[in-house]
Each structure stands twice: as structure tokens, then as C-alpha cells.
């Protein structure tokens, strides 16, 4: 299991909206740690230290070591809530990682060779990405940082599908029956006269 980041945290005993508001006012971020066949625990992180990592794409698709006193716990970020108007983390949900149990995590898709694709370079096409990440199920040891899709051979009017995405050994892509709103693209149909 490859650990990419380390974060220091502290246990918090107070719960509720008022306690979370006081934590945020003191420069802390309230969080919940769950999973791993253990009881959920409330944590607090230093907001400044967390903000230095928020822009890094790897943070959301990596295993993070949470240090609380002498304890170290590998986790993944399941959800990070941001303030709607300010550059502030409001709350985090973390899931414990066990070496022998599969995890579900969203991995970013990196598109390689867009400019070199014949459909763009010589045929006048424009590439449109309907998805920028995909949910994957795998063991922590098989977790990649990202998935890479090669587009260098694409011609105009061709499509790539989730089945074309190369997955590492032991990883499975969860296919969506209905994509989330951010993964849909709108197409305008001509109105009938």
C-alpha cells in the first residue's frame, strides 16, 4: 500500500453545528473517520496545512496517512465539502483503508495525445470529454494515481468508451447506469416546425 500524503489530526469530542462552527473559527476543519470495522471518530485538521494540499489532484485518489498522536491510520478522502463563496474547506469525510479489503474511489482520467490525433490535427475535429474521472474498485495495493487514455489514433467521429480505458490488474471500473449531472453533456435537438 503506497502512502502519498501525511496529515496530522486531533480527536474532537464536541459534536454538532455549534462545535463545528467554533472549530472553523479557530482555524480547524471538522472531519469524520469511518469504516474499517471500527466506530466512527470525529477529527479536526489544521485548515492552513490542508489548504496547501487541496489543489493537488493526487490528494483525492491516493492513500493518506492520518497521524493522531502516536496512531497512524491509512485513509482515503470520500468527500470534501468546500465553502460556496470562500476558498475554505468546511468538512471532510474519510474512510479507513485495510490492506485486504477493496476500496471504491474516483480516479481522474488523463487524456494523452489529443493534439496528435488525426481527427484533430488533420481532419478538423474537436475532442469533447464527457467524463473526467471514473469510480474504480480495487485493493489498496493495486490503486493507481490516475488512469491514462491514449487518443493519438482517434479519427473524426470516433468515440472512446469506458471499456477502452486500460485498468491496472485487479481493478474494476464501475459503470454508471445514469451518469451524474457533471458527466452529462447537453445536446440541442432541432425543434420540429
Amino acid at each position: 500500500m503506497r502512502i502519498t500524503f501525511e496529515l496530522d489530526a486531533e480527536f474532537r469530542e464536541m459534536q454538532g453545528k455549534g462545535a463545528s462552527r467554533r472549530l472553523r473559527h479557530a482555524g480547524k476543519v471538522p472531519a469524520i473517520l469511518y469504516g474499517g470495522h471500527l466506530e466512527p471518530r470525529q477529527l479536526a485538521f489544521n485548515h492552513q496545512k490542508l489548504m496547501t494540499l487541496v489543489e493537488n489532484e493526487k490528494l483525492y485518489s491516493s492513500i493518506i496517512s492520518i497521524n493522531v498522536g502516536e496512531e497512524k491510520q491509512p485513509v482515503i478522502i470520500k468527500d470534501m465539502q468546500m465553502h460556496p463563496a470562500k476558498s475554505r474547506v468546511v468538512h471532510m469525510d474519510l474512510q479507513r483503508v485495510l490492506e485486504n479489503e477493496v476500496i471504491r474511489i474516483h480516479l481522474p482520467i488523463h487524456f494523452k495525445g489529443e493534439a496528435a490525433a488525426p481527427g484533430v490535427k488533420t481532419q478538423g475535429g474537436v475532442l469533447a470529454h464527457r467524463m473526467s474521472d471514473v469510480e474504480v474498485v480495487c485493493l489498496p495495493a493495486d490503486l493507481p494515481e490516475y488512469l491514462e487514455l491514449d487518443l493519438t489514433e482517434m479519427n473524426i467521429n470516433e468515440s472512446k468508451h469506458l471499456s477502452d480505458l486500460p485498468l491496472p490488474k485487479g481493478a474494476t471500473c464501475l459503470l454508471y447506469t445514469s451518469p451524474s449531472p457533471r458527466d452529462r453533456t447537453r445536446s440541442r435537438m432541432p425543434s420540429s416546425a
Side-chain angles (χ1 to χ4, degrees):
M1 185 166 31
R2 180 177 33 87
I3 296 191
T4 310
F5 296 96
E6 284 195 26
L7 283 172
D8 294 325
E10 56 192 53
F11 288 122
R12 62 183 173 105
E13 299 303 323
M14 301 297 288
Q15 297 182 46
K17 191 185 290 187
S20 294
R21 193 175 296 132
R22 285 188 293 277
L23 268 176
R24 289 184 197 104
H25 187 70
K28 306 280 185 185
V29 176
I32 184 84
L33 174 63
Y34 57 83
H37 310 293
L38 297 172
E39 289 295 315
R41 279 301 303 226
Q42 286 78 26
L43 300 174
F45 291 91
N46 181 302
H47 187 265
Q48 281 302 111
K49 290 182 181 175
L50 189 59
M51 284 305 292
T52 61
L53 302 174
V54 165
E55 295 299 320
N56 193 336
E57 177 186 68
K58 291 180 188 177
L59 180 68
Y60 306 98
S61 60
S62 298
I63 298 174
I64 303 163
S65 177
I66 301 297
N67 306 323
V68 184
E70 298 297 316
E71 293 182 44
K72 289 186 180 224
Q73 176 70 57
V75 303
I76 57 172
I77 295 176
K78 289 305 273 184
D79 187 33
M80 185 179 290
Q81 298 166 11
M82 300 294 289
H83 191 280
K86 301 175 186 173
S87 180
R88 293 194 55 82
V89 178
V90 177
H91 191 271
M92 283 197 321
D93 290 357
L94 306 167
Q95 179 183 344
R96 292 180 184 98
V97 173
L98 301 176
E99 285 188 39
N100 57 353
E101 288 192 14
V102 296
I103 55 175
R104 292 173 64 156
I105 190 167
H106 282 268
L107 294 176
I109 302 171
H110 290 184
F111 299 96
K112 181 177 119 183
E114 292 181 45
V120 173
K121 192 172 185 178
T122 59
Q123 299 167 359
V126 176
L127 280 169
H129 306 295
R130 295 184 111 188
M131 299 177 78
S132 60
D133 64 4
V134 66
E135 193 170 17
V136 172
V137 175
C138 65
L139 287 171
D142 300 329
L143 181 66
E145 287 181 16
Y146 58 87
L147 301 173
E148 188 172 74
L149 185 60
D150 187 9
L151 305 176
T152 54
E153 301 298 320
M154 281 191 74
N155 291 304
I156 198 161
N157 294 327
E158 288 184 346
S159 299
K160 293 279 187 177
H161 303 278
L162 286 176
S163 58
D164 299 323
L165 202 58
L167 295 172
K169 176 187 73 72
T172 310
C173 176
L174 295 178
L175 301 176
Y176 300 110
T177 54
S178 63
S180 66
R182 71 175 182 186
D183 295 335
R184 289 189 200 130
T185 57
R186 292 180 189 238
S187 61
R188 296 186 179 210
M189 301 298 289
S191 58
S192 56

